[in-house]
Amino acid sequence: MLVTLVLLMFALSCTPLWARDVEITVQDADVGAPLEGALIRSDGGEYTADEHGVCIVPVPDEAPMVITITYPGYEALRVLIPLRETVVIAALRLAGILENRELVLEAAGPGADAVAPGRGVAIAGGELARTAEMGIVEDVMSSLKLLPGVGYTGFFDAMPSIRGGDPQDLIAVLNGFYIENPYHWGGAYSIFDPRMTERAQLSHGVFSSRFGNTVSGLLELTSKRPSSEVVTMDLGVSTSAVDLNLSLPLRGKGGLMVMGKVSYWQPFIEAAHLFMPISRNVKQAPWITSGGLSANYRFTPNLEWTLSGFIGNDGIGFAHKNQLEEVAISGTSSLSHFFDNTIGFLITGLQMHPLNTMVVKTSLGAGFTQTNVNIDMKDTLSIRYTQDFLDIYGDSLMDPSTGEPKTSYQIDQDAYHHETKRTIHYQGGADLDWELGKGFLIAAGVQELYSQWGFNQHDYEPYDNGQLVNSPENPLMALDFTADVHNDAFSSAAYTLLEYASANRVFGTELGVRLDHSYLIGDDFSIQTIPVLNPRLNLDWRILQNRGPLEALNLTLGTGLFSSIDESLHYLEKRHGVADFDLKPTRSWTSLAGTSLEFFPGLRLNIEGYFKYVFDRTYTSLDVQAQGADLVYRFDGEGRIWGIDVLLQKTESRYWDGWISYSFTHARYRDPQGVVSNKTIIGNEVVGTGWYYPAFHRFHTVNLVVTIKPLRQFHIAARLGFTSGKPKKEQGPITSTLVQTEDGQLIEQFMRTETYSDRERTTFSLPLDLKFSWYRFDPKGRVRSEIYFSVENILALFLPSIKSTVVNRYTGAEEEAGGMAVMTQLAMPLPSFGIKWSY
């Protein structure tokens, strides 16, 4: 199937496409000399001017398009290509503003071709809109999850594994600001609305030493910039939300854009009641409310100020009550689960050009997050002992008043889990880029991140199923756990790098080094890491150019070191016994080799192979003793990851565009000291001290993304994926045990043992989403509209569903899981529609 799809895409790409080609001539504004090698980026890709300064760029017919042109030492130029225009002359000026090295943050360059091979892959412009602006929640992560190297997560999950790394290790950076926990609903969706995002780049290779705090993946996002000349407005009304973007110019020197979004999910929940009875447990419909702003102002040609901000709140609530009237059990059992989350941040910065060849940037920002989880349970039950249980333990259950074994016992208990996490962080940094001439650029910078972590938790359960014992001499104690942790952390970093690009970009290299250091301060302790050096090297060659249908053949090699601080250290306390300099950041050494082939017209094939060795990895074990349990921190974990990513992409054209990708990932981890007191708990998986596949691992992932445009006003977008299963625990039999509670009552408790298995896997996944869009654009006016209808998860009704089950501790029966698991079990197609207006 995969081979057929690849051949079909190649065949279609070689057929004539009746796209509008625009001839763009780039020249010096003062002397009129052609600028050979000028870079032109559009929504369709990246193009290079020839020796005459001429380049042919395909442009969609249905709307005007903005292109960005850059050349070393010249001011970047953004040009609007009107409808039906076929010839454009662009004149660049030596105006003392060096924008060339900042193009990835300024231009709307989409696709893999906007990022150097071996660093990552980017998506923007039309590609971002078509793949992210669909579904019941429009999310930038919906697009990024379709890129090579990104593991499939399933429905209601925006936290993918990047090239075999832990999903928690993916770090997000918006306009240079590190964002902690950038998710709604505990990771179901990200906070990044595609209507607020200009460009998203996923760096999963050997990326620049400008960035750190991750060993797996870096998500760089650029918010949309307001227009400095005209008022613009975007309004969208969809199945579950309404959003508005308004941009106002500021005296022709900048602009201010405000953005807002409000969701309304109650109609969707009511409709789900007809097909899924379990959805009736949703008592508080999910909600998302968010707002953002983006502003910039150019005081002088050499000084610009920027501002970005975001505030958002989300939550959901479940409540479930069972009235039981059965032979084995009778009474009532209830569960409520309520979750809410708030996140906000504000970033400001200055960009200065003290010299024609120099850019200096400074930034300062602050942000916060707070998450509340409240789970309450109440059981009032009368439970009969099973006959098998009575046959074994009947003598221990004698009723002195009757001389016969008791046949039942009573449970009247309240249990709860209340948790609050708070984080406040402040960030500052300064960066310098200096063009030295003859293709050389040197850069350096410093970054400081100060975080305040707060964590409060209170758990109470009269009969804790996690402490089952076989002897009445060791009674089943009530779980009564309280945590109140407040830690401060300083993360300091400095970097420097040297870039070189030869004439016509035949050879390029980037050599950089980054120094990272962390310092943790608790209520009665302080510890720090030994500073770590993270050198990185990339080499790029353009081996062939303009050979028949082959536009270019590129080769890239890269290797580098990376480091990050594990999130579990937020909860570190003095009693955990971690000494100064025993604290270690998780490290990884990543190496890769890749090639890219560019064909006419607009076809690109990328192939990358990589190996990643993870060392000094932080993990925790649960030390279970008679007096209780506690976490033990270890810093000697390992990981060996290798794989290959393939991307075949067709850039935007008149009738169709899209890509097909394939990823193979082999990831194994090991925790040398994972066993404490003959038991280890890591992500709810008992794995021991040997090598294991992590719970998020998948071997194979295939994605096909295509947009078909039979008419200029009508487009069909499709997303089809195939992925192999995740590791599944091997389940043992359900057994019952006699235990004694601390109040002296003898009860029967059921449990099922689960063990890690290299062989067991969940079933494959085959997601299919479709979107039908109707566009209307008036060439004489400024209003553009879109009406769309989409369906997600179309094949859900025809594929085996995966349901979460739990063992009833009182009866031994398997039951459907409640709480947040309800949202992940929506095995049904999800239709949505929307109307959008742009002015």
Side-chain angles (χ1 to χ4, degrees):
M1 177 182 175
L2 176 61
V3 175
T4 303
L5 290 172
V6 172
L7 294 176
L8 177 61
M9 288 189 69
F10 186 84
L12 289 173
S13 67
C14 296
T15 60
L17 297 175
W18 304 104
R20 174 166 62 105
D21 289 334
V22 177
E23 179 183 288
I24 299 175
T25 302
V26 185
Q27 60 187 25
D28 183 283
D30 297 320
V31 300
L35 299 180
E36 178 185 358
L39 291 179
I40 303 169
R41 286 192 171 104
S42 70
D43 281 358
E46 177 185 291
Y47 308 90
T48 305
D50 61 19
E51 64 271 18
H52 304 293
V54 176
C55 180
I56 304 298
V57 177
V59 175
D61 287 336
E62 64 268 17
M65 187 175 73
V66 176
I67 62 172
T68 302
I69 307 173
T70 60
Y71 192 78
Y74 284 75
E75 181 178 349
L77 181 65
R78 294 168 68 88
V79 178
L80 174 68
I81 301 178
L83 287 172
R84 292 184 285 277
E85 189 70 64
T86 58
V87 177
V88 173
I89 298 178
L92 304 188
R93 295 183 179 275
L94 286 166
I97 302 176
L98 177 63
E99 293 282 312
N100 179 50
R101 295 294 175 172
E102 294 302 316
L103 179 60
V104 294
L105 297 179
E106 186 73 17
D113 42 13
V115 184
R119 279 67 155 182
V121 61
I123 188 168
E127 288 181 344
L128 181 60
R130 286 189 293 271
T131 53
E133 293 181 10
M134 65 181 294
I136 56 176
V137 176
E138 298 181 353
D139 183 8
V140 168
M141 287 302 300
S142 298
S143 297
L144 296 175
K145 290 193 294 184
L146 303 171
L147 298 176
V150 181
Y152 176 73
T153 60
F155 200 61
F156 278 92
D157 191 347
M159 301 176 66
S161 167
I162 307 300
R163 284 187 168 175
D166 192 307
Q168 295 282 354
D169 193 63
L170 175 63
I171 189 73
V173 178
L174 177 65
N175 299 337
F177 185 83
Y178 289 96
I179 303 176
E180 188 170 316
N181 190 34
Y183 300 104
H184 291 306
W185 300 337
Y189 292 96
S190 81
I191 65 172
F192 305 117
D193 191 320
R195 298 174 188 271
M196 303 180 185
T197 306
E198 181 74 17
R199 182 174 184 273
Q201 175 177 323
L202 177 64
S203 299
H204 50 37
V206 183
F207 52 86
S208 172
S209 57
R210 301 173 190 268
F211 297 102
N213 300 320
T214 179
V215 297
S216 296
L218 170 72
L219 176 57
E220 298 177 61
L221 300 108
T222 307
S223 59
K224 287 186 176 180
R225 290 172 62 91
S227 172
S228 61
E229 299 178 354
V230 297
V231 176
T232 65
M233 183 177 70
D234 296 299
L235 174 64
V237 180
S238 64
T239 310
S240 59
V242 58
D243 53 83
L244 174 67
N245 291 12
L246 178 63
S247 174
L248 303 172
L250 299 176
R251 302 173 57 189
K253 295 185 177 182
L256 170 65
M257 177 183 290
V258 292
M259 301 154 278
K261 176 179 181 178
V262 177
S263 67
Y264 43 87
W265 267 56
Q266 193 60 42
F268 170 76
I269 296 299
E270 295 294 337
H273 290 173
L274 302 175
F275 305 97
M276 300 186 64
I278 194 173
S279 66
R280 296 189 177 95
N281 296 337
V282 181
K283 301 303 180 182
Q284 172 64 60
W287 78 87
I288 297 175
T289 303
S290 62
L293 65 88
S294 177
N296 68 289
Y297 192 83
R298 190 179 293 275
F299 295 100
T300 71
N302 295 325
L303 178 62
E304 182 181 17
W305 168 76
T306 60
L307 178 70
S308 299
F310 176 86
I311 183 71
N313 176 257
D314 59 271
I316 189 172
F318 300 90
H320 177 67
K321 184 175 183 179
N322 271 349
Q323 183 67 43
L324 304 172
E325 296 294 341
E326 302 176 10
V327 175
I329 185 171
S330 61
T332 60
S333 178
S334 62
L335 165 71
S336 66
H337 186 160
F338 289 90
F339 168 94
D340 71 88
N341 175 67
T342 304
I343 180 172
F345 53 83
L346 189 67
I347 319 160
T348 187
L350 290 174
Q351 180 168 301
M352 298 164 282
H353 306 274
L355 301 173
N356 291 353
T357 56
M358 183 180 293
V359 178
V360 178
K361 293 194 298 182
T362 62
S363 62
L364 186 66
F368 74 95
T369 62
Q370 177 164 319
T371 302
N372 302 306
V373 180
N374 292 288
I375 303 174
D376 293 276
M377 298 171 285
K378 182 175 179 59
D379 293 330
T380 303
L381 303 169
S382 176
I383 306 166
R384 293 181 62 88
Y385 295 111
T386 63
Q387 187 58 50
D388 290 341
F389 189 80
L390 289 173
D391 292 340
I392 300 175
Y393 300 107
D395 293 341
S396 301
L397 302 172
M398 286 296 178
D399 186 346
S401 63
T402 63
E404 298 291 333
K406 294 180 180 180
T407 58
S408 65
Y409 63 95
Q410 308 299 313
I411 291 291
D412 188 0
Q413 69 167 6
D414 291 280
Y416 54 82
H417 167 83
H418 297 165
E419 175 186 310
T420 299
K421 295 180 182 179
R422 304 182 195 88
T423 301
I424 301 175
H425 43 272
Y426 307 91
Q427 298 178 37
D431 302 89
L432 167 69
D433 284 27
W434 192 357
E435 186 87 42
L436 302 178
K438 297 184 179 181
F440 287 93
L441 178 141
I442 189 171
V446 293
Q447 300 165 1
E448 183 68 34
L449 171 62
Y450 169 58
S451 300
Q452 296 176 329
W453 298 322
F455 177 70
N456 302 93
Q457 180 178 335
H458 190 189
D459 294 342
Y460 179 77
E461 190 170 358
Y463 313 125
D464 177 27
N465 200 37
Q467 303 179 39
L468 289 180
V469 293
N470 294 319
S471 170
E473 286 76 22
N474 294 308
L476 185 64
M477 304 296 292
L479 171 67
D480 193 353
F481 173 78
T482 300
D484 188 11
V485 182
H486 299 275
N487 289 332
D488 296 345
F490 291 89
S491 296
S492 307
Y495 73 88
T496 184
L497 62 87
L498 177 68
E499 295 182 14
Y500 171 73
S502 65
N504 298 323
R505 301 181 182 272
V506 174
F507 173 73
T509 184
E510 178 182 327
L511 174 62
V513 63
R514 181 181 180 90
L515 179 68
D516 288 287
H517 176 257
S518 296
Y519 184 59
L520 183 64
I521 304 173
D523 289 336
D524 52 358
F525 74 99
S526 64
I527 55 176
Q528 61 181 310
T529 66
I530 297 175
V532 293
L533 280 175
N534 294 315
R536 300 167 195 176
L537 173 65
N538 282 287
L539 301 170
D540 305 292
W541 292 271
R542 176 158 289 189
I543 299 175
L544 296 175
Q545 188 171 358
N546 299 327
R547 298 289 182 90
L550 183 65
E551 183 176 356
L553 170 61
N554 303 307
L555 175 66
T556 184
L557 298 174
T559 187
L561 290 171
F562 302 84
S563 63
S564 70
I565 293 295
D566 192 83
E567 184 180 357
S568 65
L569 295 173
H570 293 192
Y571 320 121
L572 188 68
E573 296 182 78
K574 183 178 181 179
R575 60 187 174 83
H576 292 128
V578 179
D580 214 15
F581 300 115
D582 287 344
L583 176 67
K584 296 180 181 179
T586 298
R587 308 286 306 279
S588 76
W589 172 42
T590 300
S591 298
L592 63 84
T595 184
S596 66
L597 295 89
E598 303 171 22
F599 300 93
F600 295 104
L603 183 70
R604 170 181 286 239
L605 175 64
N606 280 3
I607 304 174
E608 289 185 12
Y610 61 90
F611 174 79
K612 180 161 46 179
Y613 175 61
V614 181
F615 57 100
D616 292 344
R617 185 175 61 84
T618 303
Y619 61 95
T620 58
S621 300
L622 191 65
D623 186 3
V624 181
Q625 304 292 344
Q627 67 272 20
D630 200 3
L631 288 177
V632 177
Y633 284 85
R634 304 293 188 188
F635 305 98
D636 58 355
E638 294 181 90
R640 295 174 183 170
I641 306 167
W642 62 274
I644 185 171
D645 294 329
V646 181
L647 174 68
L648 179 63
Q649 183 182 32
K650 178 68 180 70
T651 54
E652 185 167 328
S653 65
R654 167 63 184 86
Y655 288 104
W656 78 284
D657 57 68
W659 70 83
I660 184 172
S661 66
Y662 168 72
S663 296
F664 173 83
T665 305
H666 188 275
R668 299 275 278 178
Y669 287 77
R670 189 171 77 92
D671 306 317
Q673 301 183 71
V675 172
V676 180
S677 300
N678 298 317
K679 185 173 183 179
T680 180
I681 298 179
I682 301 173
N684 294 325
E685 299 221 26
V686 180
V687 297
T689 60
W691 290 94
Y692 63 93
Y693 295 106
F696 49 80
H697 174 256
R698 298 179 188 269
F699 282 110
H700 307 281
T701 303
V702 181
N703 284 304
L704 173 63
V705 181
V706 62
T707 301
I708 302 173
K709 312 169 187 177
L711 301 173
R712 294 172 182 171
Q713 298 81 16
F714 178 62
H715 293 178
I716 303 173
R719 309 184 305 202
L720 173 64
F722 169 82
T723 180
S724 56
K726 299 190 299 182
K728 183 174 69 173
K729 288 175 281 189
E730 193 171 291
Q731 296 185 332
I734 299 174
T735 59
S736 64
T737 305
L738 172 67
V739 294
Q740 183 178 10
T741 64
E742 59 182 339
D743 61 4
Q745 185 173 204
L746 298 176
I747 65 176
E748 180 181 11
Q749 291 274 274
F750 290 86
M751 65 180 299
R752 165 183 274 159
T753 58
E754 295 181 329
T755 57
Y756 170 79
S757 172
D758 271 348
R759 303 179 302 275
E760 296 290 325
R761 291 265 165 174
T762 61
T763 186
F764 66 90
S765 299
L766 193 66
L768 173 62
D769 307 327
L770 289 176
K771 178 184 179 183
F772 304 90
S773 300
W774 292 264
Y775 298 94
R776 185 178 182 276
F777 181 78
D778 182 5
K780 298 181 181 180
R782 294 177 54 195
V783 178
R784 180 176 180 177
S785 61
E786 176 191 358
I787 301 175
Y788 75 86
F789 174 77
S790 68
V791 184
E792 296 178 282
N793 210 22
I794 293 176
L795 301 179
L797 296 178
F798 310 100
L799 296 174
S801 61
I802 303 175
K803 293 186 178 181
S804 299
T805 61
V806 295
V807 175
N808 188 306
R809 68 194 316 189
Y810 303 123
T811 66
E814 287 192 86
E815 301 173 348
E816 287 189 86
M820 295 297 289
V822 173
M823 300 304 295
T824 63
Q825 296 174 16
L826 294 177
M828 57 178 288
L830 297 174
S832 61
F833 65 89
I835 304 174
K836 305 174 185 178
W837 293 273
S838 298
Y839 172 78

